[in-house]
Amino acid sequence: MDSTSFKLTSSQLHFFSQGQSAARWAGIVAKYQPLFTAHPAKKWLLAESDSFVFSALFYALLASGKSVVLPQNTQPEHIKQVKETVGASVGPAGISPTYQSDLDFCPSSEITLTIQLDSKVYFYTSGSTGVPKIIVKPFKLLQKEVDALEAKFSEQVTGTVFVSTVPHQHIYGLLYKILWPMNKGHQFVPQGFEYPEQMANQIAKDDCISTTIISSPAQLQRMIADNPLLAVKDKVTNIFSSGGPLDAQKNLGLQDVLQCTLIEVFGSTETGGIGWRCRKSIQDEDWHIFNEVNISYQQNSDLLAISSSYIDEPFFNADDRVEIIDANRFRVLGRADSVVKIEEKRVSLDEVQARLKQHPFVDDAFVVVVGSERRKLAALIVLNDEGLKTRKGAKKIELDRLFKGFLSNWYEAILLPKKYRYPVELPYNARGKLSRREAESYFE
């Protein structure tokens, strides 16, 4: 890679899935790149669900000098909003990446693409609020992060096949599922797996010795009670998880039963990767800082400030409260917006959630603030097997009182959650992040 461009040759791609070859990938690029180049539109909305086709169109657009706009999802109203907000083209049929009318492309001989490093990728992110926000990333920042991942983890992932359960239109999926294996020549299955059973079946039937799984806390936590990967555990070498913290006990439990390395990644669309950790014990809370990332405190606070090669700004002020241990390690104390006032008394929603998760009946929990005139806490609690057994023999109000009594060991009455709901699972989105807005809707 020179100072202005990046080159990708189709012969360096190692697709590990039947019917998906480098020659077919090159055929898609060969068909669409001239059409994109000739079209006057500068921004293109890429709403392709097939990750193999997506990767070809993504690189073809960038190599054509276009900007790529990645929507959060393919729902009609969201696509309409994205087009209007960014001014992205979806083009006529036969040119638009949103059309799938002709996917039987003729295989092509080797093709080399040159991508300018200032080419832009538009991401949509909403965090916990549900309000879409546009984040623009030059390709050079994405490639720098790929270089950092390879430098840090190449020894662990070399020789493995990348398999993913996360979507490619968000930065974590794009980086770990698509760009890292493609740009660094690792074998990968471009198909995304919505359910772990599908992934386990693919791993079992593919002739792969070792896999690196790209997943999220929401998906991994579901595997504790019913883990289809046990049938192929001899092929599971690494698991990467991002989107939020993975419960410590579940983390260690997965590493133990699968005999694999589980690496959590901390970051955001705005910042890219900030840190990583591989837990060895419940007390192991430290995050290790990625190369070319420096962290500090924002002025007069414990909020995180970041300077990094993966962002354009000199500094980025995050909403995370941290404890900086030394130049290479830090701990996350919670979100700044998790500290709320209830009748003039401060309480951390993250801390209340953590307390609830300590209860022997609780598998997962999420605490929100409800009410406009009189604010109060409300808790979503996912019960484990013991909790479900107890619920069968008790009224809901009795279960509510049980958790109020448990939390009263730490909090005075005014700060105890006043409402409780017991869903089968928490409202995680496709990226493994909890939707605060959806959680609040349980109490409307």
Side-chain angles (χ1 to χ4, degrees):
M1 183 172 72
D2 64 32
S3 60
T4 62
S5 65
F6 168 82
K7 291 188 182 297
L8 180 72
T9 301
S10 59
S11 61
Q12 78 185 63
L13 307 180
H14 300 286
F15 297 104
F16 202 89
S17 190
Q18 188 175 9
Q20 296 176 335
S21 65
R24 183 167 181 260
W25 186 90
I28 300 174
V29 174
K31 174 176 180 176
Y32 275 104
Q33 187 184 1
L35 299 175
F36 293 148
T37 300
H39 199 282
K42 299 299 183 184
K43 298 175 185 174
W44 286 75
L45 189 150
L46 182 48
E48 172 57 58
S49 60
D50 183 298
S51 294
F52 178 80
V53 177
F54 167 88
S55 67
L57 295 173
F58 177 83
Y59 281 99
L61 281 165
L62 293 180
S64 303
K66 310 300 183 181
S67 295
V68 180
V69 180
L70 302 180
Q72 284 184 305
N73 55 60
T74 57
Q75 298 304 114
E77 286 303 312
H78 177 62
I79 295 296
K80 179 182 177 183
Q81 178 193 32
V82 172
K83 287 164 59 181
E84 291 174 351
T85 304
V86 181
S89 172
V90 292
I95 297 180
S96 169
T98 60
Y99 286 83
Q100 301 184 48
S101 57
D102 181 14
L103 297 183
D104 293 324
F105 301 97
C106 296
S108 177
S109 57
E110 180 178 301
I111 190 169
T112 298
L113 300 177
T114 300
I115 297 168
Q116 298 304 309
L117 292 178
D118 59 0
S119 300
K120 291 181 173 57
V121 180
Y122 288 67
F123 296 93
Y124 269 75
T125 182
S126 57
S128 60
T129 64
V131 180
K133 182 170 61 173
I134 303 169
I135 306 296
V136 185
K137 294 270 186 178
F139 184 79
K140 66 180 179 183
L141 299 185
L142 300 175
Q143 186 55 35
K144 279 185 177 181
E145 199 158 352
V146 168
D147 291 341
L149 291 173
E150 182 69 6
K152 185 66 191 175
F153 301 116
S154 62
E155 187 174 335
Q156 290 167 258
V157 303
T158 296
T160 69
V161 178
F162 283 58
V163 184
S164 174
T165 67
V166 298
H168 53 237
Q169 70 265 32
H170 306 296
I171 193 167
Y172 172 52
L174 181 66
L175 282 169
Y176 285 70
K177 177 182 180 178
I178 303 292
L179 301 188
W180 185 8
M182 290 188 74
N183 294 5
K184 298 301 180 181
H186 298 294
Q187 298 183 89
F188 73 111
V189 178
Q191 178 184 353
F193 299 98
E194 186 175 354
Y195 302 104
E197 292 82 3
Q198 298 171 323
M199 179 174 60
N201 291 337
Q202 182 75 32
I203 292 172
K205 73 178 183 180
D206 275 344
D207 186 24
C208 60
I209 300 172
S210 175
T211 59
T212 289
I213 295 172
I214 310 301
S215 194
S216 72
Q219 294 157 330
L220 294 173
Q221 287 181 172
R222 296 188 193 112
M223 294 185 199
I224 296 298
D226 180 19
N227 191 346
L229 292 178
L230 288 174
V232 292
K233 67 177 184 178
D234 58 322
K235 295 185 175 182
V236 179
T237 303
N238 310 295
I239 298 176
F240 283 86
S241 174
S242 189
L246 178 60
D247 178 82
Q249 289 187 332
K250 292 180 173 66
N251 181 321
L252 295 170
L254 282 171
Q255 291 191 66
D256 182 52
V257 299
L258 296 176
Q259 291 295 291
C260 68
T261 299
L262 199 161
I263 299 166
E264 293 181 84
V265 178
F266 175 71
S268 68
T269 307
E270 294 92 335
T271 64
I274 299 170
W276 63 274
R277 72 180 174 197
C278 181
R279 280 190 185 271
K280 300 302 179 186
S281 69
I282 294 289
Q283 294 74 31
D284 188 4
E285 296 283 347
D286 295 2
W287 293 92
H288 303 269
I289 301 169
F290 277 117
N291 290 343
E292 299 189 50
V293 175
N294 294 291
I295 66 172
S296 58
Y297 293 117
Q298 295 175 36
Q299 189 172 8
N300 300 322
S301 78
D302 60 358
L303 293 176
L304 177 64
I306 303 154
S307 62
S308 167
S309 292
Y310 318 137
I311 58 178
D312 270 338
E313 301 86 359
F315 280 93
F316 180 84
N317 290 329
D319 293 325
D320 301 282
R321 296 168 49 243
V322 296
E323 175 190 354
I324 298 175
I325 300 169
D326 55 37
N328 299 309
R329 294 178 301 148
F330 66 101
R331 291 179 183 172
V332 179
L333 305 178
R335 297 278 297 176
D337 57 10
S338 83
V339 178
V340 299
K341 268 190 176 182
I342 303 295
E343 299 202 13
E344 304 309 313
K345 294 183 180 292
R346 293 183 182 274
V347 64
S348 166
L349 303 181
D350 290 339
E351 184 181 304
V352 179
Q353 286 164 196
R355 296 296 186 192
L356 280 171
K357 291 178 186 179
Q358 292 173 8
H359 194 283
F361 291 172
V362 175
D363 184 60
D364 207 353
F366 192 39
V367 178
V368 295
V369 178
V370 297
S372 53
E373 294 183 6
R374 187 176 180 184
R375 286 154 54 92
K376 52 184 171 286
L377 300 191
L380 290 179
I381 298 175
V382 178
L383 299 171
N384 59 21
D385 290 342
E386 287 299 311
L388 291 171
K389 288 178 186 176
T390 300
R391 186 180 184 183
K392 285 182 180 179
K395 296 179 180 178
K396 178 181 178 295
I397 193 171
E398 294 172 333
L399 204 59
D400 295 354
R401 287 172 181 164
L402 183 150
F403 289 117
K404 280 185 182 179
F406 176 72
L407 289 174
S408 67
N409 289 305
W410 294 278
Y411 305 102
E412 55 190 297
I414 195 67
L415 297 179
L416 297 176
K418 300 300 187 290
K419 294 186 176 183
Y420 295 82
R421 299 290 185 271
Y422 303 97
V424 175
E425 60 183 30
L426 296 183
Y428 289 99
N429 61 24
R431 291 168 291 159
K433 290 182 178 292
L434 283 164
S435 168
R436 192 170 299 278
R437 176 177 289 181
E438 191 172 340
E440 291 167 353
S441 71
Y442 280 75
F443 304 96
E444 292 174 352

